[in-house]
Amino acid sequence: MGRSQSYFKVLIVCIVSLIASTHAQLQLGFYAKSCPKAEEIIADFVHEHIHNAPSLAAALIRMHFHDCFVRGCDASVLLNSTTNQAEKNAPPNLTLRGFDFIDRIKSLVEVECPGVVSCADIIALAARDSILYTGGPSWKVLTGRRDGIISNITEATNSIPSPFSNFTTLQTLFANEGLDLKDLVLLSGAHTIGISHCTSFSNRLYNFSGKGDQDPSLDSEYAKNLKTFKCNNINDNTTLVEMDPGSRKTFDLGYYHQVVKRRGLFQSDAALLTNSVTKSLVHQFLQGSLQNFYAEFAKSVQKLGQTKVKTGTQGEIRKQCAVINS
């Protein structure tokens, strides 16, 4: 009896160790010995350049989100395809920016420590640093991610939440990544520093249900202003619109104010008011302090950053972020 119990205990320990191994290999300061200056090089580059292009903060956090929603945070969003079949060719990613910025960081890190630091970690660190250096929250970034070797346009199209997503779709896509409704509301809060092309919401202004109508859930006065001063027709694909008008350079609670006033640009923003839990959370964050929002946002972005990551011997450390190692 004693012997079988001890075997059973060993088995349990092995299983628990196996389950824990993915997270155990992500750690603070993963490169402390293998490339001690890595995080400093990344932070310095972001700090040096972000003030010339503060809108990159929104671009980089968006890149991080979109990367993590497909095959985990593995930099698969950076891969090029000769046949235009990679993640970056998917509709949700056609307006992603910052690829060259990540490439420039990677080249600096490669000079310091060739073949050591993953592109996936560079995205995660640069996203955090860019938000911090533009006056937003900070969070701890665990490192040790490996780069993926597969990038698929269909997976990206099906996995990344879209501006046109309704509540049910959002809930499903977030749950697929181990994220709950609180994470949905918090991560949507990053829209406080975003800009959007008219194409992501012009259907709400001109042809919401296919009958040339306007989305009734969008504030009518705001819709009129958007039509008059921004998106003059449904085919406008060049005009940029602030998602949090008046404070898009400030990481604050302004986005939630817009949502409550029915002035969120996207259907996915308006969707937060269509569920009692997410609606309550929006009001809760509005009534709380900015520091509370920062602390809660940090938890959610850390959670997303650790989902389905590749560690250990999985994947590879790419030499160049846009191509897998030959």
Side-chain angles (χ1 to χ4, degrees):
M1 182 73 176
R3 182 177 291 183
S4 64
Q5 273 190 330
S6 65
Y7 280 141
F8 185 66
K9 280 181 181 174
V10 169
L11 184 65
I12 291 293
V13 168
C14 289
I15 292 170
V16 169
S17 300
L18 191 66
I19 292 169
S21 66
T22 302
H23 283 296
Q25 290 169 306
L26 273 193
Q27 55 186 270
L28 275 177
F30 179 83
Y31 301 108
K33 290 179 181 172
S34 58
C35 191
K37 290 185 180 174
E39 293 196 25
E40 184 186 339
I41 289 169
I42 296 164
D44 286 349
F45 187 86
V46 173
H47 191 253
E48 183 184 346
H49 295 281
I50 202 72
H51 298 293
N52 300 326
S55 66
L56 258 178
L60 292 173
I61 194 76
R62 184 171 178 240
M63 178 189 284
H64 183 42
F65 288 2
H66 283 212
D67 182 40
C68 294
F69 268 90
V70 189
R71 293 181 169 266
C73 318
D74 68 347
S76 49
V77 73
L78 302 179
L79 287 172
N80 289 336
S81 161
T82 52
T83 55
N84 295 325
Q85 294 298 306
E87 286 175 35
K88 62 165 61 169
N89 305 113
N93 290 332
L94 293 176
T95 52
L96 278 186
R97 296 184 304 122
F99 296 111
D100 180 58
F101 194 80
I102 297 296
D103 285 342
R104 287 162 72 190
I105 295 174
K106 175 66 170 172
S107 64
L108 290 174
V109 174
E110 282 296 298
V111 169
E112 179 72 21
C113 316
V116 173
V117 181
S118 70
C119 300
D121 278 340
I122 290 173
I123 297 175
L125 289 162
R128 188 270 312 275
D129 293 341
S130 68
I131 297 292
L132 173 63
Y133 292 140
T134 49
S138 183
W139 56 91
K140 291 176 179 174
V141 176
L142 303 185
T143 44
R145 294 168 190 78
R146 306 266 295 176
D147 296 323
I149 56 172
I150 296 171
S151 186
N152 183 285
I153 187 173
T154 307
E155 289 180 354
T157 304
N158 294 340
S159 303
I160 297 170
S162 126
F164 311 106
S165 297
N166 61 22
F167 174 77
T168 307
T169 303
L170 290 170
Q171 183 178 29
T172 301
L173 293 178
F174 272 69
N176 288 347
E177 305 310 315
L179 301 169
D180 58 25
L181 296 183
K182 187 176 183 182
D183 299 315
L184 166 59
V185 174
L186 283 161
L187 296 175
S188 296
H191 286 170
T192 182
I193 56 168
I195 50 175
S196 169
H197 288 85
C198 292
T199 44
S200 294
F201 60 88
S202 56
N203 67 311
R204 299 186 76 199
L205 301 174
Y206 293 103
N207 196 26
F208 185 61
S209 63
K211 300 173 184 173
D213 54 340
Q214 196 168 287
D215 183 351
S217 72
L218 182 63
D219 177 72
S220 56
E221 187 184 337
Y222 188 46
K224 183 181 174 184
N225 283 342
L226 287 169
K227 285 185 191 176
T228 306
F229 301 111
K230 294 290 184 181
C231 310
N232 299 133
N233 63 74
I234 198 167
N235 298 313
D236 183 336
N237 60 5
T238 55
T239 304
L240 294 170
V241 182
E242 297 181 0
M243 301 193 69
D244 182 5
S247 77
R248 79 168 177 88
K249 292 182 180 178
T250 312
F251 206 101
D252 56 18
L253 294 164
Y255 164 76
Y256 297 124
H257 282 290
Q258 297 296 328
V259 169
V260 166
K261 290 191 289 187
R262 298 191 301 120
R263 293 184 170 196
L265 276 186
F266 297 162
Q267 274 170 259
S268 59
D269 298 323
L272 299 180
L273 297 182
T274 64
N275 171 268
S276 60
V277 175
T278 51
K279 184 177 181 178
S280 170
L281 284 164
V282 168
H283 284 282
Q284 191 181 308
F285 292 129
L286 269 177
Q287 288 157 12
S289 68
L290 185 61
Q291 294 327 114
N292 175 65
F293 169 52
Y294 278 11
E296 294 294 332
F297 179 84
K299 287 180 201 168
S300 284
V301 76
Q302 281 177 299
K303 190 172 167 184
L304 175 63
Q306 294 172 42
T307 186
K308 300 179 183 174
V309 294
K310 294 165 181 65
T311 58
T313 56
Q314 298 171 310
E316 63 181 15
I317 304 296
R318 274 181 231 146
K319 294 183 178 72
Q320 293 179 303
C321 289
V323 289
I324 59 171
N325 299 338
S326 54

